[in-house]
Amino acid sequence: MDMLMQNFIIIALLILNIFGFILVSLDKYKAKNKLWRIPERSFFILSILGGSIGVYVGLFLFKHKTRHWYFMVIIPLIILAQIVFIYYLANK
């Protein structure tokens, strides 16, 4: 993989993780103020696309959805799968 593609992937992942973090904070704000909420599947889709670390950090930092077992199990599994995938690509 050439350097330009690596830089593109890194920037895309940074943007996805920042967006995931912001999405969690926005949903926490909406929950506190009894506003329309962000669907839970949005967090999982964003995590699968590469924003899993941002979502996971946001969950703990904002103490949001940490009582939902599926967030506390599935998001780390997505992170683990992404690490394995990256390892596989790096050693291919």
Side-chain angles (χ1 to χ4, degrees), residues 29-41:
Y29 171 82
K30 288 181 173 205
K32 282 184 172 181
N33 293 291
K34 299 184 189 318
L35 300 171
W36 172 83
R37 302 287 301 281
I38 297 166
E40 290 182 345
R41 71 176 169 268

Side-chain angles (χ1 to χ4, degrees), residues 3-86:
M3 188 66 113
L4 183 61
M5 183 58 99
Q6 286 177 340
N7 288 341
F8 174 77
I9 291 170
I10 290 169
I11 290 170
L13 288 174
L14 282 171
I15 291 169
L16 285 168
N17 280 287
I18 291 169
F19 183 67
F21 183 81
I22 291 169
L23 198 67
V24 173
S25 70
L26 181 61
D27 194 52
K28 178 67 174 195
Y29 171 82
K30 288 181 173 205
K32 282 184 172 181
N33 293 291
K34 299 184 189 318
L35 300 171
W36 172 83
R37 302 287 301 281
I38 297 166
E40 290 182 345
R41 71 176 169 268
S42 300
F43 296 106
F44 291 110
I45 291 169
L46 185 60
S47 294
I48 290 168
L49 292 175
S52 55
I53 294 174
V55 168
Y56 200 60
V57 169
L59 293 177
F60 281 103
L61 187 67
F62 300 112
K63 296 180 180 145
H64 188 54
K65 298 194 179 285
T66 54
R67 292 184 182 182
H68 298 279
W69 70 268
Y70 43 93
F71 275 95
M72 296 296 98
V73 172
I74 295 174
I75 301 293
L77 287 175
I78 292 171
I79 293 170
L80 182 62
Q82 290 170 340
I83 291 169
V84 169
F85 181 69
I86 291 168

